Amino acid sequence: LVEDIRVALATKADPNAGLASPAFNDYTPLIFLASTPPSANGHQVAQAMELLITSRADVHRECGQMFSGRLVPLRFAARAQNEYGLETLQRHMDLGDAFQWAAGENAEGIMLSELRREYGQALAEKIEAMASFSYVASTQLRLFASPIFPGGLSPACAL
């Protein structure tokens, strides 16, 4: 992935090129990478995002108008609970109060990392253990139901 992006950028590919598609209106490579669900390849996705950003991919560039509005890559990463993507984008944006922002986006991983940074590992682990649901499993369920990702959960499945 990283090498493919490196080659494309070396041949003068525009890191801010948006896809002309009704389903993915003006999605940039950064948005697609930010939309990646949590996986074992998270570090590689974050490296690819970092490469795009250092090649002047705009972290503030919104997608085209969609049913959910015009969103920046950070919002896509928060919705997908892409922790590595969130961390990468967060280094290049000013979120103000990161904990408050993460609470509004349901980005539990960022909330826990902020607690860890401010109050230590022990408190973060204690709070994480109090959760009745796994945020990673919940994210996978949301993605399975999402029209953006190829999921199969729909009202028709209940019949």
Side-chain angles (χ1 to χ4, degrees):
L1 175 66
V2 175
E3 190 55 33
D4 290 340
I5 291 173
R6 188 173 282 120
V7 168
L9 292 169
T11 58
K12 306 255 187 229
D14 180 359
N16 293 302
L19 187 63
S21 164
F24 303 104
N25 188 8
D26 211 18
Y27 280 30
T28 63
L30 195 56
I31 288 174
F32 278 112
L33 289 171
S35 301
T36 305
S39 70
N41 297 328
H43 289 291
Q44 188 178 19
V45 171
Q47 285 178 328
M49 292 173 74
E50 190 68 45
L51 179 59
L52 285 168
I53 294 166
T54 58
S55 298
R56 290 182 261 155
D58 185 356
V59 296
H60 301 286
R61 176 157 175 199
E62 299 172 330
C63 68
Q65 186 62 44
M66 303 292 287
F67 66 91
S68 56
R70 296 174 53 97
L71 308 177
V72 296
L74 191 69
R75 297 289 303 274
F76 284 92
R79 286 183 173 184
Q81 295 291 312
N82 179 344
E83 231 174 295
Y84 295 114
L86 282 167
E87 289 173 10
T88 299
L89 291 165
Q90 188 178 8
R91 284 194 300 272
H92 298 279
M93 300 179 82
D94 179 15
L95 298 179
D97 182 344
F99 185 88
Q100 189 67 27
W101 174 86
E105 292 292 329
N106 288 326
E108 294 176 38
I110 296 292
M111 292 170 65
L112 288 169
S113 69
E114 287 295 303
L115 283 173
R116 201 171 283 113
R117 186 174 59 78
E118 290 289 324
Y119 302 105
Q121 182 69 22
L123 180 65
E125 286 176 1
K126 185 175 182 177
I127 290 174
E128 188 173 19
M130 296 170 80
S132 56
F133 299 106
S134 162
Y135 73 89
V136 173
S138 298
T139 299
Q140 289 173 339
L141 181 60
R142 276 197 308 263
L143 291 174
F144 188 58
S146 171
I148 296 174
F149 298 98
L153 189 61
S154 69
C157 294
L159 300 175

